Amino acid sequence: MTTTDTHCPYCALQCGMRLAPGAAGEPPEITGREDFPVNQGALCGKGQSAAVLLAPAARLTEPLVRDAAGVLRPATWSEALDRTAEAMRRAAEVYGPDAAGVFGGGGLTNEKAYLLGKFARVALGSSAIDYNGRFCMSSAAAASRAAFGLDRGLPFPLADIPHTGCVILVGSNPAETMPPAVRHLRELRENGGTLIVVDPRRTRTAELADLHLQPLPGTDLALALGLLHLVVADGHVDEEFVAARTTGFDAARATAMAHWPERVEALTGVPVPAQREAVRLFTARPTGMVLTARGPEQQSKGTATVGAWIDLCLATGRAGRPYSGYGCLTGQGNGQGGREHGQKADQLPGYRSLEDPADRAAVAAVWGVDPGHLPRSGTSAYELLDRAGRPGGVRTLLVMGSNPVVSAPDAGHVTRRLQALDHLVVCDFVLSETALLADVVLPVAQWAEETGTLTNLEGRVLLRRAALAPPPGVRTDLHVLHALAARLGHPRGFPEDAEEVFAELGRATAGAPADYAGISYDRLTGEPGIHWPCPAPGHPGTPRLFLDRFAHPDGRARFAAPTHRPSAEEPDSAYPTRLTTGRTVHHYQSGAQTRRVAALTAADPGPYVELHPDLADTLGADDGDLLLVTSRRGTATAPARLSKAIRPDTVFMPFHWPGAGRANSLTHAALDPVSRMPEFKVCAVRVEKAPPAGEARP
């Protein structure tokens, strides 16, 4: 192995890192790359320890199949692939093509996401495809498309953040979820800008803020409308911008005026003076940004909530201008690229639509198929899982890059649906909780063992280079798709070579909203990423969107004009407390990777319930006591962690762990009507001290 410049396998920052040979028998050594503009050499603990799992002893190195006794046993690749292809063929013959489906992930490279979508629609002829990114950025994507005509997580580089006047950070905790990004917030304040953090918890990020607004979970929409009310009432509307570059303001103003400060305080718990201070800070300087993350987005009204925050940007003229705008802090490593290239149930590569005849024809021409043979839009991620094993649902499912047994809402129900499948195949490099349920487990290569592109939260397309060969017995996801397609009668059209796949992706996205036609591996080798759209080889890419016009045909942005409504499940006498969930600094997503890294597990060994001391007093609970948290869907048990950082009416649980402490045993699958995002971020629970071991509850 030689020294290789590449990128981190974790979050959407895609920090630049350098891998060098380790000592004999040791994993590669990782250092941050100072030449990469996103992290400038900084890495978090997850990135620094990412090479640990490259050791063969830490991962799967041979296929597994379930035998007649129900036990997973080693198998050859031929046996595992033959079984899978036969199950897919049988499901389609007996139940129809939509009975064979795929479930992808926001960590897959662009090449894998693209080929997975093609595999579903061409090799399977199935509409049954979606991915776990539906659980992450879908509400922000839907709101951005409605407002601007285009969804790109950040329409500007991260490096612009220190130069704006004020940032409102809504439901995001980058100090723990993407620590290298925090320097941009520190530089913002050093430059005289201000930071407002909106979060029910006083997180490490909130500690950095000039102002912390602490709303009741599920009320971010009311808060945004209340701030817009004050913008209108206090004369801060940029009338010239609104008239020249937007449409729909009259309706937005009318809905905002129905959310006066005292009403918003009653709904959210945010005092009127704090609301007024937020508006003062946001309008004190001519530039500003609103950045959202999962807090406001993972709600059954997430699209409307993000739309309301975008309305605040539009009304004040803080969009479509330098150092201003709305952005989504995308979570997963390729959450941006993963949602652009065909993993979503309703999309074709480049953000093309399955329901648009011209889009279908453009992609079908690249794929060499009749547009009429492409399936129509399928169902969203949770709906696909909810219908698994039922009449009209999938009977066999290929899962690639996801662990829904831990990460899906109402995870106990999802687990039962996966168990009801006729055949489940999982591609992974560790034996995840979902893989443990599978009929076939395929051991696939990791980030440092294969070359591919990813698109970070800025829309910057990056080349993540292979640094070493995978262990014997391990193959790539692209090989899996190629081999399965061949067994299903499609020996051509599913290349194993990532560069060949990317070249085809460029052709399939040419002229589309997310146009990659001008990007190549050769260009990416010599540049620190290229921002899409990039329609031609000589095009420099587009770091900043919307400076001249928005992406709607008339060039104008649209106000959303939503109105507040309650969460799908409000507390009552039986379930009087709100639960919200999130991540910790040492773990990532379902924890399938980070829970296997000793240093990370030592720092953060297991689940917990964060609660305010006042709530603990009413329960008679002390720090470390085992608590029983119950919702209408299930129960979780974890030790108490007392903190004044959280509201007394709310508890917080991280969602990285399976088993008794699985937070998603509790969460609600109520779906946003537009994005189909489940309501992870708020549900009603009952919290009690767990009875001593061996003692039943009264």
Side-chain angles (χ1 to χ4, degrees):
M1 173 186 169
T2 59
T3 299
T4 304
D5 286 352
T6 187
H7 293 272
C8 181
Y10 289 111
C11 83
L13 292 180
Q14 282 301 291
C15 292
M17 58 170 51
R18 183 166 290 119
L19 270 65
E26 295 296 318
E29 294 181 358
I30 291 177
T31 55
R33 282 171 45 203
E34 296 184 359
D35 64 326
F36 188 64
V38 173
N39 61 311
Q40 294 184 342
L43 293 173
C44 72
K46 295 184 289 290
Q48 291 170 342
S49 61
V52 170
L53 294 181
L54 296 171
R59 34 104 58 101
L60 298 168
T61 56
E62 58 185 346
L64 304 173
V65 299
R66 196 168 297 279
D67 64 19
V71 177
L72 284 172
R73 62 163 176 82
T76 65
W77 271 95
S78 292
E79 180 187 4
L81 291 167
D82 287 347
R83 274 201 186 195
T84 298
E86 177 56 29
M88 290 176 164
R89 184 182 299 108
R90 185 170 59 250
E93 289 173 352
V94 175
Y95 301 103
D98 288 349
V102 299
F103 193 89
L108 300 180
T109 63
N110 290 318
E111 293 81 359
K112 296 178 188 180
Y114 171 82
L115 211 64
L116 188 64
K118 183 180 180 181
F119 175 81
R121 294 172 178 117
V122 175
L124 296 178
S126 175
S127 69
I129 175 173
D130 213 86
Y131 81 127
N132 64 16
R134 180 78 68 170
F135 299 159
C136 295
M137 298 77 56
S138 58
S139 290
S144 292
R145 285 197 305 271
F148 307 127
L150 183 68
D151 158 45
R152 196 178 82 187
L154 292 182
F156 41 74
L158 277 166
D160 282 4
I161 291 174
H163 304 290
T164 192
C166 179
V167 169
I168 302 180
L169 193 60
V170 189
S172 177
N173 182 18
E176 295 196 65
T177 58
M178 45 180 64
V182 173
R183 70 177 181 86
H184 298 292
L185 301 177
R186 295 187 188 278
E187 290 175 14
L188 165 75
R189 298 194 65 205
E190 290 168 2
N191 291 342
T194 54
L195 174 64
I196 301 169
V197 170
V198 180
D199 200 303
R201 303 167 62 224
R202 189 161 181 81
T203 62
R204 297 185 188 185
T205 306
E207 293 285 352
L208 304 174
D210 298 277
L211 177 66
H212 175 209
L213 306 181
Q214 202 165 2
L216 194 66
T219 64
D220 306 271
L221 173 53
L223 179 60
L225 290 166
L227 299 187
L228 182 56
H229 177 109
L230 289 171
V231 163
V232 174
D234 295 346
H236 294 300
V237 175
D238 187 330
E239 301 285 359
E240 182 179 350
F241 177 87
V242 168
R245 299 198 60 189
T246 74
T247 187
F249 177 61
D250 288 346
R253 177 171 52 200
T255 58
M257 298 319 287
H259 296 79
W260 57 92
E262 291 76 15
R263 181 189 179 203
V264 169
E265 179 175 344
L267 289 169
T268 67
V270 176
V272 171
Q275 297 175 48
R276 294 190 181 279
E277 178 65 2
V279 171
R280 186 191 71 80
L281 291 174
F282 190 58
T283 59
R285 295 178 62 180
T287 57
M289 299 175 179
V290 173
L291 307 177
T292 69
R294 307 302 80 76
E297 298 164 18
Q298 287 181 325
Q299 299 184 29
S300 59
K301 52 182 182 291
T303 303
T305 301
V306 174
W309 288 103
I310 292 174
D311 283 357
L312 184 68
C313 291
L314 295 177
T316 55
R318 282 153 178 79
R321 290 173 168 170
Y323 306 126
S324 288
Y326 162 76
C328 162
L329 296 178
T330 303
Q332 294 192 77
N334 198 31
Q336 180 66 54
R339 68 183 188 261
E340 296 167 5
H341 297 308
Q343 287 192 95
K344 287 184 72 175
D346 57 347
Q347 285 182 192
L348 290 167
Y351 276 145
R352 287 192 155 110
S353 170
L354 265 168
E355 302 307 314
D356 184 291
D359 285 350
R360 292 170 64 87
V363 174
V366 175
W367 288 352
V369 299
D370 185 325
H373 292 165
L374 295 178
R376 312 303 295 193
S377 297
T379 57
S380 72
Y382 179 78
E383 292 165 301
L384 189 156
L385 296 172
D386 176 53
R387 298 175 188 177
R390 301 180 190 270
V394 294
R395 309 294 300 197
T396 183
L397 185 66
L398 168 65
V399 176
M400 186 174 284
S402 189
N403 187 18
V405 166
V406 179
S407 63
D410 195 1
H413 171 70
V414 167
T415 300
R416 292 187 291 274
R417 297 316 324 146
L418 293 174
Q419 290 170 325
L421 287 166
D422 296 340
H423 186 86
L424 173 64
V425 56
V426 174
C427 298
D428 212 327
F429 54 86
V430 295
L431 197 61
S432 70
E433 288 71 26
T434 303
L436 284 168
L437 301 181
D439 298 284
V440 173
V441 183
L442 301 176
V444 291
Q446 291 194 57
W447 59 284
E449 300 163 349
E450 55 183 356
T451 294
T453 63
L454 298 98
T455 306
N456 82 343
L457 76 172
E458 310 164 296
R460 186 194 300 260
V461 185
L462 311 161
L463 184 63
R464 195 167 69 188
R465 299 169 179 83
L468 67 165
V474 171
R475 301 184 183 179
T476 67
D477 291 298
L478 294 181
H479 171 85
V480 170
L481 295 174
H482 169 83
L484 289 176
R487 284 165 168 80
L488 293 168
H490 296 269
R492 290 179 295 278
F494 294 88
E496 293 187 60
D497 179 73
E499 187 170 4
E500 185 178 348
V501 177
F502 188 77
E504 182 181 310
L505 181 158
R507 296 192 297 275
T509 63
D515 192 334
Y516 283 42
I519 307 175
S520 66
Y521 274 33
D522 284 344
R523 283 193 67 181
L524 292 174
T525 299
E527 301 181 43
I530 300 168
H531 296 80
W532 68 259
C534 181
H539 193 282
T542 314
R544 296 170 183 84
L545 298 171
F546 313 136
L547 295 182
D548 299 317
R549 65 191 312 276
F550 295 101
H552 286 296
D554 62 2
R556 292 173 174 263
R558 273 67 165 146
F559 279 90
T563 189
H564 171 72
R565 62 181 186 269
S567 299
E569 184 177 73
E570 294 286 328
D572 56 22
S573 58
Y575 301 92
T577 303
R578 282 175 170 82
L579 168 72
T580 192
T581 65
R583 286 170 49 188
T584 72
V585 69
H586 296 106
H587 290 291
Y588 181 72
Q589 305 302 74
S590 74
Q593 298 170 68
T594 53
R595 286 186 275 110
R596 289 170 166 82
V597 178
L600 300 177
T601 298
D604 210 345
Y608 58 86
V609 182
E610 182 180 282
L611 72 165
H612 193 278
D614 290 351
L615 177 57
D617 284 346
T618 66
L619 303 175
D622 293 322
D623 203 66
D625 283 351
L626 202 61
L627 297 181
L628 199 65
V629 185
T630 305
S631 76
R632 289 178 174 86
R633 291 151 297 282
T635 298
T637 308
R641 184 175 293 186
L642 274 58
S643 172
K644 291 184 179 179
I646 194 166
R647 296 173 55 104
D649 51 16
T650 300
V651 295
F652 167 83
M653 291 186 70
F655 57 72
H656 308 296
W657 287 274
R662 183 175 62 182
N664 278 319
S665 296
L666 309 168
T667 50
H668 203 309
L671 301 181
D672 181 289
V674 179
S675 69
R676 315 309 286 169
M677 165 74 83
E679 190 150 60
F680 286 97
K681 277 296 181 281
V682 56
C683 68
V685 297
R686 180 175 63 249
V687 186
E688 309 162 272
K689 281 187 67 175
E695 181 180 318
R697 290 178 58 197

